[in-house]
Amino acid sequence: GQGNKWIGTWGGGLAKFDGTNWTVYNTSNSGLPRDWVYAISIDGQGNKWIGAYEGGLAKFDGTNWTVYNTTNSGLPDNIVRAIMIDAQGNKWIGTYGGLAVYREGGVILDVFEKDEKAIPKEFSLYQNYPNPFNSSTIVKYFVKEEVIVTIKLFDMLGKEITTLVNENKLPGEYTFEFDASRYGLNSGIYLYQMQAGEFNSTKKFIYIK
């Protein structure tokens, strides 16, 4: 997000290029576990997740390094070839020993076999898609336990426009389509807020008429 380029090299470690200066991180001057870097991914908080050949998975927050490998985590193999981070913050890690998924605090969705339903482990309200939009967009949210869920729409001054959801919900994943043309909205930025018990989350969307 700052425009820095992060480059993984074969034997030379990890390089950062800010457009003018180069900074090199390797096993002699950082917590990088190996100098053979296969994969790099950056999460929403700016942490760098680095996959190393026979070195496992390293997290670099700009100051501190944390290394995950087969001896201290559930990583199936120390050769990490690919890392992808999904919209829920789960890290999907491709290794020579198979695929692993990891997220600090726990993966949002438990995985069940066959026909068992996936139950969210926490309440979540996600960014609408598409955004900006004209005139409809999709909103997704997760409910971890049975509770009354309320989602309201506000303008940027905090004035309530309408209630989009107000009903008892069982645990699960929910989506609904919001059609701005039904409410006579002008182009601009609006807020939608979810409340479920003690959980409260607010997101912005941009409506272009």
Side-chain angles (χ1 to χ4, degrees):
Q2 288 73 48
N4 298 314
K5 287 73 180 173
W6 294 84
I7 303 110
T9 76
W10 188 249
L14 175 70
K16 171 188 172 184
F17 180 53
D18 65 10
T20 303
N21 302 305
W22 291 84
T23 305
V24 175
Y25 303 89
N26 54 43
T27 53
S28 66
N29 67 3
S30 73
L32 193 68
R34 292 278 287 176
D35 288 335
W36 288 264
V37 175
Y38 264 143
I40 306 167
S41 192
I42 302 175
D43 65 23
Q45 288 72 50
N47 299 310
K48 287 74 184 172
W49 295 83
I50 301 127
Y53 179 78
E54 295 186 341
L57 177 71
K59 173 188 173 184
F60 179 49
D61 65 9
T63 303
N64 303 303
W65 293 81
T66 306
V67 176
Y68 304 90
N69 54 43
T70 55
T71 64
N72 66 2
S73 71
L75 202 65
D77 194 280
N78 287 331
I79 300 177
V80 175
R81 291 296 304 265
I83 307 164
M84 291 295 293
I85 303 174
D86 65 24
Q88 289 78 40
N90 303 313
K91 288 78 183 174
W92 295 85
I93 306 145
T95 80
Y96 270 21
L99 179 68
V101 59
Y102 172 67
R103 179 177 183 270
E104 299 94 327
V107 175
I108 287 183
L109 292 181
D110 284 331
V111 178
F112 296 85
E113 295 182 356
K114 297 183 180 179
D115 294 328
E116 292 186 73
K117 189 175 181 181
I119 304 299
K121 298 186 74 173
E122 61 185 39
F123 291 104
S124 299
L125 175 66
Y126 290 96
Q127 189 64 52
N128 61 298
Y129 180 82
N131 188 45
F133 68 96
N134 176 20
S135 63
S136 64
T137 188
I138 300 296
V139 175
K140 179 169 71 172
Y141 60 98
F142 288 96
V143 176
K144 76 170 184 177
E145 61 192 21
E146 184 175 0
V147 69
I148 294 176
V149 175
T150 302
I151 300 179
K152 294 184 178 183
L153 180 67
F154 300 86
D155 64 21
M156 287 299 292
L157 297 177
K159 180 182 177 181
E160 182 178 333
I161 297 172
T162 189
T163 298
L164 303 172
V165 177
N166 185 23
E167 57 188 26
N168 190 69
K169 295 289 188 182
L170 296 175
E173 174 184 338
Y174 295 89
T175 62
F176 65 89
E177 182 176 8
F178 173 75
D179 187 348
S181 65
R182 294 178 52 192
Y183 301 95
L185 301 182
N186 295 318
S187 296
I189 300 174
Y190 295 86
L191 307 173
Y192 58 102
Q193 181 184 66
M194 173 180 169
Q195 288 188 312
E198 296 183 356
F199 174 80
N200 187 306
S201 180
T202 302
K203 302 288 186 183
K204 294 180 182 179
F205 66 56
I206 302 173
Y207 173 48
I208 301 175
K209 196 169 184 178

